[in-house]
Amino acid sequence: MIKSPSALVHVVYRTRRFAEMLHWYATVFGAKVQYQNPALAFLTFDEEHHRFAFADLGVIRPEDPDDKDDRGMIGVDHVAWEYRSLHDLLENYDQLKAAGITPYWCVNHGMSASLYYADPDGNQMEFTVDVFPTKAECTDYFQGDLIGQNPVGTEYDPDDWLARLRSGVAEAELLAFDPAAEVSPIRGRMTEILK
């Protein structure tokens, strides 16, 4: 049986007005920056480790003077939905896979482990579970040194994780993040923009 997510957790935007967007969301939502580098910023307004993320296209894909049409680049990259446990996330993955629906990216971001899907129109969704037991520990991850070592994350095999989980391996063991592991390439719509 399909397991519905427990909450909407964040929205990621692609923008060419990075500073303006950060200022606007800080003003309108009272959001504060959790982590920022030249290309990415993560903001929150409550106990969630991030409610918004912004990808600066000015850094990721500088403007081409011959291409005045940014439609498809600027806007929502994806919407993220949270699951209560890794068990729920992976059992749902198994049910969706049986229905012919598979993720295009499976990645442990360090503060969360995620499965990314695209609907028939190409709208991207992230189904995610926190890596740490509390939101405060996820926030601490954003404010620590590890995120700077690998701000994207490392890929994982959900079939392997599900088999190991079913055999009795603890969720915490599977979710343990190695920032020194190979950095995953970014996948999905952002891949097209990075070209």
Side-chain angles (χ1 to χ4, degrees), residues 46-146:
D46 61 7
E47 74 285 344
E48 186 64 38
H49 44 84
H50 68 290
R51 290 292 184 184
F52 308 106
F54 299 89
D56 186 351
L57 292 175
V59 173
I60 294 169
R61 174 123 182 227
E63 288 187 82
D64 178 349
D66 297 328
D67 184 10
K68 302 292 184 208
D69 188 0
D70 268 343
R71 288 177 296 180
M73 275 195 221
I74 293 172
V76 173
D77 184 75
H78 69 269
V79 176
W81 300 92
E82 182 175 51
Y83 281 79
R84 294 191 196 286
S85 68
L86 183 61
H87 178 267
D88 287 351
L89 178 72
L90 293 178
E91 290 294 346
N92 193 64
Y93 155 81
D94 197 44
Q95 292 293 314
L96 292 174
K97 182 179 170 186
I101 300 169
T102 57
Y104 61 83
W105 194 23
C106 309
V107 61
N108 183 339
H109 290 298
M111 86 301 294
S112 61
S114 303
L115 300 169
Y116 287 80
Y117 292 84
D119 72 14
D121 278 342
N123 299 303
Q124 300 180 127
M125 278 164 245
E126 175 185 5
F127 294 167
T128 188
V129 63
D130 284 341
V131 165
F132 299 103
T134 68
K135 297 292 182 185
E137 289 170 281
C138 292
T139 295
D140 290 346
Y141 179 83
F142 269 107
Q143 296 169 352
D145 296 330
L146 291 179

Side-chain angles (χ1 to χ4, degrees), residues 10-15 17-33 41-46 50-55 74-77:
H10 68 257
V11 179
V12 177
Y13 297 95
R14 298 179 305 263
T15 182
R17 295 176 179 86
F18 194 64
E20 290 172 64
M21 291 289 276
L22 298 183
H23 176 74
W24 195 91
Y25 281 81
T27 302
V28 171
F29 288 91
K32 64 179 179 152
V33 173
F42 299 87
L43 287 76
T44 193
F45 53 80
D46 61 7
H50 68 290
R51 290 292 184 184
F52 308 106
F54 299 89
I74 293 172
V76 173
D77 184 75

